[in-house]
Amino acid sequence: MTKIFYFLLLSQAIIFSQAPYTILISFDGFRHDYMNRGLTPNLQKVADNGVKALSLMPVYPTKTFPNHTSIITGMYPENHGIIANTFYDPVTNKTYKISDSIQVRESRWYKGEAFWETAQRNGIIAASFFWPGSEVNLEYRRPRYFKDYDHYLPYKLRVDGLIEWLKLPQKDRPRFLTVYFDATDTYGQNFGPNSDSLNYAVNLLDGMAGYLMDKLAEINLIDSTNLIFVTDHGMTEISSDKYVNIEEILGDEKVAYWNWSTFCLIQPEKGRLDEVYNKLKSNEKHYKVYKKSEVPDFYHFSSSPLFSDLILFTDLGWEAGDTKAQKRFQEWNAKGNHGYENGELDMHGLFVAMGPSFRKNYKTGTLRNIDIYPLLCEIFDIPVRNGIDGKGERIRFILNKY
Ligand code: AMP
Ligand code: ZN
């Protein structure tokens, strides 16, 4: 009898000595100031009971896949390899594209170690209800539980999926989980960051935060779970007249290009680099053009071998491309975009977190998204992978153990 009692006591101690459950929630394109619109009572509850940062600074380029990969690896895109949503590898002659599920699952593109890999190496089970890179085609690089991306899967089912995983027996239950929602990006791009439709999306995602908290309370895990709400980038207003037509500037020059939009990767024909560069440089208005070797260090953007010889960055609110891309852009008539410099406040996103590991009712300034990976390592008390760009000492003060 006493033996059984001690066994039960010991197993409880083991359970309680484990790190809390931690859910990383991404609201795509949720700009840092959307919480000031009076539409987010649930996120406010998280802030009041936890930590709220003034903003979360993304990495350059402020696009979805590069930033989600930086959040989950703690590395800059030039180091983790996902340098854009679309890019080309001249060695293998393959193009990475987020709409191409075969390439998105190709493990070779992902040079960094995602937190779920670090966690699982340390015996912590991970699960992902969507996150860029979570579906890779090598089992040991994926979270134990994952889902193939389905843009149209109703949001409540994503939360229900997390809850099902959290109801698994202890030995199979994940401790680290991710989930992703696109609405603020989709509505922000189609209708603009100041539209009623965007406000609807903000309120919708806040409702998902509330639904998740209610469901966690139902299974008695709300007090033992960290919730970390983050964003990959912000959003700014655009208009169809703010467009630089590169084809008109380049005339007869033939170039290969990727990402005609807020930044362009441009590959001139052999022997034509200086001519193409000079044409773009002498017309430099509403954009900046660099040779790969001259891109300023603060972008942390160009040391990857995957970069083209020229890179063009548009000014906030501007787009660039050829005549075909311009026509497509005008037909779409988008009202918002991202992809601009990560120093621009409009590109900054949301960071609010609460749970047993976090300080309570604590406000702080801007945090960097590359520091979230080491923050997760701090929470789970496991070593960070060597060679990351993020730094735990820049963010750990938001945890209550410091
Ligand atoms: P963008 O705004 O162009 O940077 O990309 C946003 C889009 O990325 C969203 O509309 C999603 O459809 C897409 N997306 C987000 N996560 C994934 C994923 N795991 N797999 C494929 N596409 C995704
Ligand atoms: Zn995004």
Side-chain angles (χ1 to χ4, degrees), residues 28-29 62-65 68 180 185 232-233 338:
D28 196 326
T62 52
K63 298 292 282 181
T64 299
F65 269 56
H68 277 89
Y180 166 88
D185 182 65
D232 50 351
H233 52 72
H338 54 92

Side-chain angles (χ1 to χ4, degrees), residues 56-126:
L56 183 65
M57 184 171 171
V59 294
Y60 192 84
T62 52
K63 298 292 282 181
T64 299
F65 269 56
N67 273 280
H68 277 89
T69 314
S70 287
I71 291 169
I72 210 69
T73 62
M75 296 167 101
Y76 289 118
E78 62 182 0
N79 296 328
H80 66 52
I82 308 300
I83 56 167
N85 282 350
T86 308
F87 55 95
Y88 172 70
D89 180 351
V91 175
T92 57
N93 196 23
K94 292 253 158 56
T95 299
Y96 182 94
K97 211 175 182 187
I98 68 171
S99 53
D100 177 345
S101 56
I102 292 179
Q103 293 308 320
V104 160
R105 290 174 194 159
E106 179 51 69
S107 162
R108 194 175 47 79
W109 295 109
Y110 301 87
K111 315 277 186 231
E113 181 174 277
F115 181 73
W116 51 73
E117 295 178 70
T118 313
Q120 291 182 162
R121 269 197 299 110
N122 286 277
I124 297 155
I125 302 175

Side-chain angles (χ1 to χ4, degrees), residues 217-277:
E218 270 176 32
I219 57 170
N220 282 325
L221 286 186
I222 187 72
D223 294 332
S224 43
T225 304
N226 292 313
L227 297 173
I228 311 175
F229 293 87
V230 297
T231 308
D232 50 351
H233 52 72
M235 191 67 64
T236 199
E237 269 190 343
I238 56 168
S239 63
S240 51
D241 54 318
K242 290 187 174 170
Y243 202 93
V244 180
N245 187 314
I246 305 283
E247 213 173 334
E248 284 169 11
I249 295 173
L250 292 183
D252 294 336
E253 292 292 348
K254 296 259 176 304
V255 295
Y257 57 83
W258 297 269
N259 280 291
W260 279 146
S261 176
T262 54
F263 73 102
C264 310
L265 303 171
I266 301 173
Q267 188 58 53
E269 283 189 322
K270 224 177 164 108
R272 301 296 301 167
L273 174 64
D274 284 328
E275 286 77 2
V276 172
Y277 174 74

Side-chain angles (χ1 to χ4, degrees), residues 22-28 43 46 68 71 130-131 159 162 176-181 205 208-209 212-213 216 225-232 350-354:
T22 299
I23 309 180
L24 182 65
I25 304 120
S26 168
F27 287 170
D28 196 326
L43 290 176
V46 175
H68 277 89
I71 291 169
F130 303 154
W131 198 276
V159 174
L162 296 181
F176 172 70
L177 304 92
T178 76
V179 64
Y180 166 88
F181 304 92
L205 293 194
M208 284 307 115
L212 172 60
M213 288 189 275
L216 286 169
T225 304
N226 292 313
L227 297 173
I228 311 175
F229 293 87
V230 297
T231 308
D232 50 351
L350 165 87
F351 181 99
V352 281
M354 75 167 201

